[in-house]
Amino acid sequence: MPFYRFENFKSYRFNPHLSTADGPVIEGEYLYFRMVTKKAGTGAELHYHPNELLAFPLQGKVDCIVGMDRRIVEPGVLVHFPPYARHGFKATEDGDLKYLYIKDRTWTLIGAAADEALPDKALSAAQVQKKIKAGEYPGRKKDARNSKAIIEGLGNCYYAMIDTLDAPAASGHCERWVEGTNIAFGFVESPPGHTEAAKRAGHEMFLYVIAGSLNAQVGRKKQKVGSGDVVHVPRGAAYRWTVRKGGAVRYAAVRSTLRLEAAVRKHGAADNWRG
């Protein structure tokens, strides 16, 4: 099925030794697509991972650090975490945090603390949970000398997509894209009647509808989608969506890149997180 809602999935805490992040995950061929929540005042300790991560807050404020750059981030700002970048992501005391979380599948959903080495092999979330319960994980002594976390030279990793998520709609079709190492993120606004279509998608895509509604089709499956709906387009699939009458639509979109697709073809995707 190409159409989903996150509330229909089970929530998981994949890194309980590092983060309070909790939420469901939709697994694509190249991408992990999640909705994550964190309680006010809680979040992730400084850590890193080999795969790229994008985070787009939808509710709440974030005390965020990427490398050496620390900022308070609000909804409408995309945060880019390059591969191996040291980072932390905590909800402020103002309220709970809710955000889109996108990772590439060159590694699993498991990270390493900033002051420790990566495991010799990427572990699945299920393996980590089992080892934590058995008192076997992380299991290694801290040794910052063997950490591969990147702290300096990361550049500006914060991108303002829109002033606020409830800002007035754009007068016409408008797209803002940021392309990282393996993942591209787009913030899209479209007026009623606007159509996007392709006979064969060049990349895997996920859409999350923030406001408004679409008549969407992926392959032979059709559905009316609105706020909170997710659309998944596999690479090579036909797709078409048209903004319905009654108002503009606003959605976040992510897609795989040629570099990511080549890496997965060469080395394979990271182990299934359930394994």
Side-chain angles (χ1 to χ4, degrees), residues 59 78 84 101 115 151 161 181 197 243:
Q59 174 187 315
L78 171 71
Y84 295 97
Y101 168 115
D115 58 353
I151 300 174
M161 296 286 113
T181 304
V243 184

Side-chain angles (χ1 to χ4, degrees), residues 29-49:
E29 183 178 3
Y30 303 102
L31 301 169
Y32 293 114
F33 194 67
R34 296 185 70 195
M35 176 67 76
V36 169
T37 58
K38 293 178 179 177
K39 296 295 184 181
T42 73
E45 302 301 323
L46 290 176
H47 67 286
Y48 69 105
H49 32 74

Side-chain angles (χ1 to χ4, degrees), residues 30-31 182-184 203-204 235 254-258 260-261:
Y30 303 102
L31 301 169
N182 292 324
I183 312 170
H203 306 282
E204 179 174 54
R235 182 171 177 264
V254 296
R255 66 182 181 221
S256 58
T257 62
L258 290 173
L260 173 58
E261 292 152 10

